[in-house]
Amino acid sequence: MKKIQMVDLQGQYDSIKDQINNSLQEIMNTSAFINGPEVQNFQKELEEYLGVKHVIPCANGTDALQIAMMGLGLKPGDEVITADFTFAATVEVIALLQLTPVLVDVDPETFNIDPEAIKKAITPKTKAIVPVHLFGQTADMNAIMEIAKAHDLYVIEDNAQAIGADFHSKEAKTYKTGTIGHVGSTSFFPSKNLGCYGDGGAIFTNDDDLAHTLRGVVNHGMYERYHHDVVGVNSRLDSFQAAVLRAKLPKLDIYNEARKAAAFRYNMALKDQEHIKTPVRSGDCDTHVFHQYTLKITNGKRDALVKHLNENNIPCGVYYPIPLHNQKAYKDARYNEADFPVTNQLVKEVISLPMHTELDTDQIDHITKTIIEFVNN
Ligand SMILES: *Cc1c(COP(=O)(O)O)cnc(C)c1O
């Protein structure tokens, strides 16, 4: 059996090696390092793939979130509601812009932001909701868009973990995640479902005016050369990364199918185990592209299982071990432990298994067998 890795990018590279190597060589031949044709073409190809009017490439997924919030004109003191159970980038940029993060609890089955908790957190100062499509599964966007409409709030989708997932709206329209709200963001960090070979990110929107604003914000607030109309940032996707992404984008659906197939095999082996809860799908309104395959271990043996798997050369991860409301940087007297029963429980129970496009059935079967033996002992 091949050595099991949490993320394995080698197989993908092998299958697109010539294209990537040739494109990188061409960039060096032409010195089009910044904003060259690779970046322009990638932008157009991603717009087409997502069915969205505007893609604005930028330097990483954290910048993408920050720039989205800057483009919407959010002001210090505005409250932004997001999930307590996610990667810190989301809350980080809210705080960095001196907006007020308002963390709320998540759904125990899907791990995504709980619409009822959003409703309870809305105040006259609330300006935006940031749902994160966690682990590759769409948040409850039907409910979230309805709440946003009723309260006149912006919806900024953090799509760093779910690029390529479909969402079917109540009106029977199909959208790619990240294009449902007012603006969406993603990350092309190497381990994401569409990853480059360094850092990269992008912002999506169907709003022409917002897109115009965002294109200025990413480029020093410049709309006309050396005229700085707003305070901006410097956040660029470089040509090398765009070239890698152009080679991978046509395969994104195939990559996501490989993830789903691995998840299906994990599910079949683990779904009837008494102390294990396999990932729950949120009904028929979405697809799950399994950025992570995350189990809940319900008999208190999660930490022991992590240790056991590591000792047996099976990598695994705990995403995320600490609720954001308990992180030193984001503690706030407004929060009450009783408001976060689900996140407080999830951080003790979740474990993510190896998930990538190169897992083979022998590896998956070895992983599930090792888990079942340990958890039942
Ligand atoms: C990875 C990730 C980000 C940040 O992306 P970077 O490109 O690493 O800045 C933001 N939000 C979520 C949910 C992520 O998983």
Side-chain angles (χ1 to χ4, degrees):
M1 195 174 56
K2 279 191 303 182
K3 182 172 183 288
I4 300 174
Q5 302 197 57
M6 194 66 185
V7 176
D8 178 354
L9 303 172
Q10 193 61 44
Q12 287 184 3
Y13 174 60
D14 288 342
S15 73
I16 45 181
K17 198 177 205 158
D18 290 344
Q19 190 184 347
I20 289 184
N21 291 0
N22 291 339
S23 310
L24 298 188
Q25 187 60 56
E26 174 65 17
I27 292 167
M28 287 183 276
N29 293 347
T30 57
S31 303
F33 302 116
I34 299 288
N35 245 329
E38 294 288 355
V39 178
Q40 312 282 334
N41 288 330
F42 172 64
Q43 178 187 315
K44 287 198 201 90
E45 287 155 9
L46 188 58
E47 283 166 355
E48 212 160 284
Y49 173 83
L50 294 171
V52 72
K53 276 170 89 175
H54 305 282
V55 164
I56 297 103
C58 65
N60 59 68
T62 309
D63 275 9
L65 279 167
Q66 177 181 332
I67 292 156
M69 288 178 205
M70 291 170 77
L72 291 171
L74 301 182
K75 295 277 171 335
D78 287 350
E79 293 179 3
V80 180
I81 298 174
T82 193
D84 191 32
F85 187 65
T86 177
F87 181 57
T90 326
V91 67
E92 178 178 69
V93 300
I94 298 171
L96 205 61
L97 293 173
Q98 294 183 296
L99 312 173
T100 305
V102 178
L103 297 167
V104 302
D105 212 3
V106 297
D107 180 274
E109 304 273 293
T110 65
F111 313 138
N112 272 322
I113 194 164
D114 175 2
E116 291 308 313
I118 295 176
K119 281 188 203 163
K120 279 194 213 135
I122 292 173
T123 76
K125 288 185 173 173
T126 308
K127 288 286 152 47
I129 308 169
V130 187
V132 180
H133 303 305
L134 200 74
F135 302 154
Q137 172 153 243
T138 322
D140 187 350
M141 292 304 288
N142 281 317
I144 291 166
M145 294 309 290
E146 213 165 277
I147 296 168
K149 207 168 169 200
H151 296 269
D152 199 18
L153 307 174
Y154 292 121
V155 174
I156 304 161
E157 297 172 71
D158 182 344
N159 195 36
Q161 301 190 0
I163 196 157
D166 287 320
F167 165 73
H168 306 291
S169 77
K170 271 198 315 215
E171 296 79 28
K173 279 177 75 177
T174 300
Y175 298 86
K176 288 288 180 194
T177 50
T179 70
I180 310 156
H182 299 88
V183 59
S185 65
T186 202
S187 162
F188 304 121
F189 187 78
S191 65
K192 306 282 171 159
N193 291 34
L194 178 63
C196 58
Y197 291 168
D199 277 306
I203 312 153
F204 324 134
T205 187
N206 282 307
D207 180 329
D208 297 338
D209 293 337
L210 178 60
H212 174 75
T213 305
L214 294 168
R215 289 190 204 287
V217 172
V218 297
N219 188 25
H220 302 289
M222 211 160 44
Y223 296 90
E224 198 183 322
R225 208 160 167 77
Y226 301 123
H227 292 252
H228 303 273
D229 295 353
V230 294
V231 177
V233 295
N234 169 23
S235 187
R236 291 187 280 247
L237 182 73
D238 69 67
S239 299
F240 283 148
Q241 303 309 336
V244 173
L245 291 164
R246 284 191 76 199
K248 286 191 176 189
L249 180 59
K251 303 202 162 209
L252 177 57
D253 288 343
I254 297 168
Y255 295 156
N256 281 339
E257 286 307 318
R259 289 173 177 273
K260 285 186 222 173
F264 183 75
R265 196 170 182 94
Y266 277 135
N267 276 342
M268 291 322 267
L270 299 171
K271 68 182 166 49
D272 296 324
Q273 293 294 316
E274 190 187 347
H275 306 298
I276 298 175
K277 276 210 74 177
T278 49
V280 175
R281 289 281 315 280
S282 59
D284 53 11
C285 68
D286 70 5
T287 51
H288 191 326
V289 294
F290 290 98
H291 176 60
Q292 299 292 349
Y293 181 87
T294 303
L295 299 171
K296 291 196 276 185
I297 306 297
T298 56
N299 64 348
K301 291 179 87 171
R302 194 273 314 269
D303 289 340
L305 176 63
V306 169
K307 188 161 171 275
H308 181 74
L309 292 178
N310 286 334
E311 282 165 5
N312 286 275
N313 299 318
I314 298 173
C316 59
V318 172
Y319 311 115
Y320 297 90
I322 303 173
L324 288 177
H325 78 272
N326 281 336
Q327 295 284 1
K328 265 193 210 158
Y330 305 112
K331 279 193 177 206
D332 190 309
R334 281 173 309 146
Y335 297 137
N336 187 333
E337 284 307 319
D339 294 333
F340 305 99
V342 178
T343 303
N344 284 339
Q345 186 69 20
L346 288 178
V347 296
K348 293 182 212 151
E349 293 185 343
V350 288
I351 179 170
S352 299
L353 304 185
M355 176 50 79
H356 51 80
T357 58
E358 314 302 313
L359 280 170
D360 63 38
T361 52
D362 286 351
Q363 292 176 312
I364 295 173
D365 295 348
H366 174 69
I367 295 166
T368 53
K369 192 163 152 276
T370 309
I371 292 172
I372 291 168
E373 275 170 15
F374 182 80
V375 171
N376 291 322
N377 256 316

